[in-house]
């Protein structure tokens, strides 16, 4: 049987008890094609070494090599397939183990055939978007979307410094490469970057959205705010009251336009999880969830991590940032294990950060050298340039 290009191939790794029902669902789905069946983890590895598939559907209680260990092996080997785990009575420990093993989805079993098909369809779309031709330079493929690298900073909850971090991160990039960085305020619920930067914005994202069909460099230039910090700025909507979500397609159009004009695009995505935020996350090269070492925020971050996985986002693109790190009563390792994401770097608590905010300016070396240097240190692990050799020839 020849494979339909619209179908995703699925290798099922399941016990003899579960396999018949699972494989029947895969075979009945129009968007999926069963590529094989393995009753043990060892047999699944043999099959994966002999053939390429899009998705590996793995039972947690798999015989021999466990389901989690098989998912870890797939991640370590960097195979171009996506592990999806399923199991009965999944609790928080099982979910964390699955996420840390690299699974993009966890299906609680038993469930309906429709639920399985919908979950695998989401993952199939991920593999379709992420696939590249063998032999291509992976960095060149990543850069083919048009030059600029997009960083989306999101808060696990509100009030934890997300906007301040986004602004100072843009400043750190601008210090490395002045004039090629832009900061965008997509925090629709509380667009306050203009205040943080002490900028009087005459035009905002609302003006761009009202003319999205005619979006061009002239329109972008009219909405751009210049700063004395080495980067450009686009202000968020200044209207009071609830702001409607921006359709994902409009988010992508705007981001594509910024990619063409700037090498580094830093976006303040706020803390609300709506259609706008999903559009930003799907278009981002790097996602930076911000968390503070407080129980309520850590729990919110764990929920955010599960959502990011359900969206099928590449886990290697997610870099969690721990703000106010020295106030923690839990270690960064403990926080990482609970949330299911590794802490990339920590920012120290600063006694003068609030006064900088109140004065409408960013942190300077003379204000707090530790925090200033911490922002500069973020540039290296996040990636200074998309691929310097691509731009420089």
């Amino acid at each position: 049987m020849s494979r339909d290009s619209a179908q995703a191939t699925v290798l099922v790794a399941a016990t003899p008890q579960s396999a018949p029902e699972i494989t029947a669902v895969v075979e009945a789905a129009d968007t999926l094609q069963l590529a094989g069946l393995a009753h043990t983890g060892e047999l699944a590895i043999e099959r994966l070494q002999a053939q390429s598939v899009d998705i590996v559907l793995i039972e947690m209680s798999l015989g021999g090599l466990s389901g989690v260990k098989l998912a870890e092996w797939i991640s370590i080997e960097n195979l171009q397939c996506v592990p999806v785990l399923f199991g009965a009575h999944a609790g928080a420990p099982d979910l964390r183990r699955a996420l840390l093993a690299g699974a993009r989805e966890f299906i609680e079993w038993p469930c309906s055939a429709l639920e399985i098909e919908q979950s695998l369809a989401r993952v199939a779309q991920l593999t379709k978007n992420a696939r590249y031709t063998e032999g291509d330079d992976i960095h060149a493929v990543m850069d083919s979307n048009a030059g600029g690298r997009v960083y989306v900073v999101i808060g696990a909850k509100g009030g934890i410094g997300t906007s301040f971090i986004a602004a100072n991160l843009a400043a750190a990039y601008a210090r490395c490469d002045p004039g090629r960085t832009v900061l965008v305020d997509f925090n629709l619920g509380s667009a306050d970057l203009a205040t943080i930067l002490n900028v009087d914005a005459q035009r905002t994202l609302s003006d761009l959205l009202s003319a999205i069909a005619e979006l061009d460099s002239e329109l972008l230039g009219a909405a751009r705010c210049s700063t004395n910090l080495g980067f450009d700025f686009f202000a968020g909507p200044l209207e009071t009251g609830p702001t409607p979500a921006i359709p994902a397609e409009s988010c992508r159009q705007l981001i594509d336009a910024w990619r063409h004009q700037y090498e580094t695009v830093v976006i303040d995505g706020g803390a609300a999880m709506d259609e706008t935020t999903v559009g930003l996350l799907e278009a981002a090269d790097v996602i930076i969830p911000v968390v503070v070492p407080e129980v309520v925020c850590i729990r919110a971050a764990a929920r955010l991590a599960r959502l990011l996985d359900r969206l099928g986002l590449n886990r290697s693109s997610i870099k969690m940032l721990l703000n106010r790190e020295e106030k923690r009563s839990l270690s960064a390792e403990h926080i990482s294990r609970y949330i299911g994401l590794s802490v990339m770097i920590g920012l120290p608590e600063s006694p003068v950060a609030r006064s900088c905010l109140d004065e409408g300016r960013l942190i300077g070396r003379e204000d707090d050298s530790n925090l200033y240097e911490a922002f500069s240190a973020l540039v290296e692990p996040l990636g200074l340039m998309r691929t310097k050799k691509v731009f420089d020839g």
Side-chain angles (χ1 to χ4, degrees):
M1 172 178 159
S2 62
R3 180 188 172 189
D4 187 317
S5 60
Q7 290 181 310
T9 53
V10 181
L11 173 67
V12 174
T15 63
Q17 294 76 25
S18 304
E21 192 170 353
I22 290 289
T23 55
V25 170
V26 174
E27 289 178 317
D30 294 334
T31 58
L32 305 172
Q33 179 179 337
L34 182 64
L37 172 64
H39 291 315
T40 67
E42 290 81 0
L43 182 56
I45 287 176
E46 288 182 19
R47 292 188 179 278
L48 289 171
Q49 290 173 330
Q51 67 182 122
S52 297
V53 299
D54 297 317
I55 300 169
V56 187
L57 184 55
I58 308 167
E59 187 170 4
M60 286 281 286
S61 58
L62 192 63
L65 189 71
S66 71
V68 169
K69 291 296 184 183
L70 175 57
E72 288 175 345
W73 179 84
I74 292 171
S75 298
I76 291 170
E77 293 296 316
N78 197 27
L79 300 184
Q80 296 303 309
C81 60
V82 181
V84 175
L85 284 163
F86 72 94
H89 310 299
D94 286 335
L95 290 173
R96 285 198 297 274
R97 288 177 64 204
L99 292 175
L100 291 170
R104 299 292 172 81
E105 192 91 9
F106 188 100
I107 303 172
E108 187 156 1
W109 181 260
C111 62
S112 69
L114 179 60
E115 288 176 296
I116 296 174
E117 185 174 355
Q118 288 176 338
S119 295
L120 295 183
R122 286 194 297 269
V123 176
Q125 186 61 42
L126 168 67
T127 65
K128 178 181 178 182
N129 292 341
R131 191 179 292 112
Y132 63 93
T133 304
E134 185 175 357
D136 285 348
D137 185 300
I138 182 61
H139 298 296
V141 172
M142 288 173 62
D143 289 320
S144 65
N145 286 336
R149 190 173 179 86
V150 177
Y151 301 85
V152 175
V153 185
I154 54 172
K157 62 184 289 292
I160 60 174
T162 304
S163 296
F164 189 64
I165 288 170
N168 281 279
L169 178 61
Y173 271 102
R175 289 194 293 271
C176 296
D177 202 15
R180 305 181 72 181
T181 298
V182 64
L183 173 65
V184 184
D185 193 348
F186 255 105
N187 187 354
L188 304 185
S190 178
D192 55 4
L193 276 178
T195 302
I196 292 175
L197 298 173
N198 196 22
V199 170
D200 183 16
Q202 300 298 314
R203 295 180 182 274
T204 71
L205 290 186
S206 298
D207 298 292
L208 292 177
L209 292 166
S210 65
I212 194 73
E214 292 82 35
L215 187 63
D216 57 18
S217 58
E218 184 177 350
L219 185 60
L220 281 174
R224 180 179 62 238
C225 301
S226 295
T227 72
N228 61 356
L229 298 164
F231 60 83
D232 289 339
F233 170 60
F234 287 83
L238 301 180
E239 298 85 354
T240 58
T243 304
I246 300 172
E249 180 57 33
S250 296
C251 291
R252 283 190 288 270
Q253 285 180 263
L254 287 170
I255 288 175
D256 285 344
W258 288 315
R259 281 186 193 275
H260 280 84
Q261 293 204 355
Y262 300 94
E263 184 156 329
T264 304
V265 183
V266 179
I267 296 176
D268 176 9
M273 192 55 61
D274 54 19
E275 183 183 3
T276 300
T277 311
V278 171
L280 296 176
L281 296 177
E282 290 177 339
D285 295 295
V286 179
I287 299 165
I288 308 173
V290 178
V291 63
V292 296
E294 299 170 359
V295 172
V296 172
C297 187
I298 292 172
R299 288 176 176 170
R303 292 193 295 271
L304 174 61
R306 290 195 292 270
L307 175 60
L308 296 178
D309 274 292
R310 288 198 298 273
L311 292 174
L313 301 171
N314 186 346
R315 289 180 65 84
S316 66
S317 71
I318 303 171
K319 312 291 185 181
M320 187 168 66
L321 190 154
L322 182 62
N323 194 21
R324 307 166 191 166
E325 65 168 339
E326 74 279 6
K327 282 195 168 184
R328 67 175 183 256
S329 57
L330 300 173
S331 68
E333 293 74 18
H334 190 101
I335 293 171
S336 296
R337 286 197 300 272
Y338 183 85
I339 294 174
L341 293 172
S342 297
V343 172
M344 171 191 63
I345 196 169
L347 293 176
E349 175 75 9
S350 173
V352 301
R354 172 52 60 185
S355 62
C356 289
L357 277 169
D358 292 341
E359 295 169 16
R361 62 187 179 87
L362 302 186
I363 200 80
R365 192 190 300 272
E366 67 282 0
D367 297 308
D368 187 329
S369 60
N370 288 336
L371 183 57
Y372 180 89
E373 295 298 339
F375 277 115
S376 297
L378 279 174
V379 169
E380 183 175 351
L382 288 175
L384 175 56
M385 307 296 175
R386 284 183 63 78
T387 308
K388 192 66 176 176
K389 64 180 180 182
V390 173
F391 288 106
D392 295 344

